[in-house]
């Protein structure tokens, strides 16, 4: 079974995905990522040292190859396939704060 994973992504890294320069993610493997899972990268920007705010922009992609080779314990790297164009939340809660 494939899942849809929602992942917060800080603004500079998100923009590199949008620009086509970054087609991978390194993440703590707390969700058991597998090839074929769908992800939404949600752009966030810092408000202060502990809080981030959604910008409202996101992209969708499919997880390709997944490996923990040469990663810190508990982390994986996976490729991003079929990255969508930037989309925008049409929701007034898109600026909510989160840790």
């Amino acid at each position: 079974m494939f899942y849809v994973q929602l992942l917060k992504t800080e603004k500079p890294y998100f923009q590199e995905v949008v620009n086509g320069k970054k087609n991978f993610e390194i993440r703590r493997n707390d969700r058991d990522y597998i090839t074929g899972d769908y992800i939404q990268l949600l752009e966030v920007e810092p408000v202060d040292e502990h809080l981030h705010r959604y910008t409202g922009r996101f992209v969708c992609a499919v997880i390709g190859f997944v490996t923990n080779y040469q990663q810190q314990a508990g982390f994986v790297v996976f490729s991003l396939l079929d990255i969508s164009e930037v989309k925008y939340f049409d929701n007034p809660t898109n600026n909510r704060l989160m840790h």
Side-chain angles (χ1 to χ4, degrees):
M1 177 184 296
F2 299 116
Y3 292 94
V4 175
Q5 309 280 0
L6 303 177
L7 303 174
K8 295 180 284 194
T9 306
E10 291 185 6
K11 199 169 196 168
Y13 304 108
F14 181 88
Q15 191 58 49
E16 293 301 321
V17 172
V18 171
N19 292 343
K21 295 180 180 176
K22 183 176 179 283
N23 60 359
F24 66 91
E25 285 290 311
I26 299 172
R27 296 285 177 151
R28 183 177 307 279
N29 195 22
D30 55 356
R31 302 178 189 207
D32 296 322
Y33 299 104
I34 61 169
T35 298
D37 277 355
Y38 295 91
I39 63 168
Q40 284 187 349
L41 297 178
L42 310 171
E43 182 184 47
V44 297
E45 57 189 3
V47 172
D48 64 28
E49 185 178 347
H50 301 289
L51 289 176
H52 288 81
R53 177 187 325 249
Y54 288 116
T55 65
R57 297 192 329 155
F58 69 98
V59 295
C60 300
V62 176
I63 294 178
F65 184 73
V66 181
T67 184
N68 63 358
Y69 182 73
Q70 294 289 316
Q71 299 301 306
Q72 294 179 23
F75 282 76
V76 295
V77 60
F78 54 81
S79 61
L80 301 175
L81 306 175
D82 302 325
I83 300 169
S84 73
E85 296 293 319
V86 174
K87 300 178 184 201
Y88 297 87
F89 285 109
D90 211 15
N91 184 331
T93 64
N94 66 358
N95 283 327
R96 68 177 183 236
L97 300 176
M98 87 292 293
H99 292 276

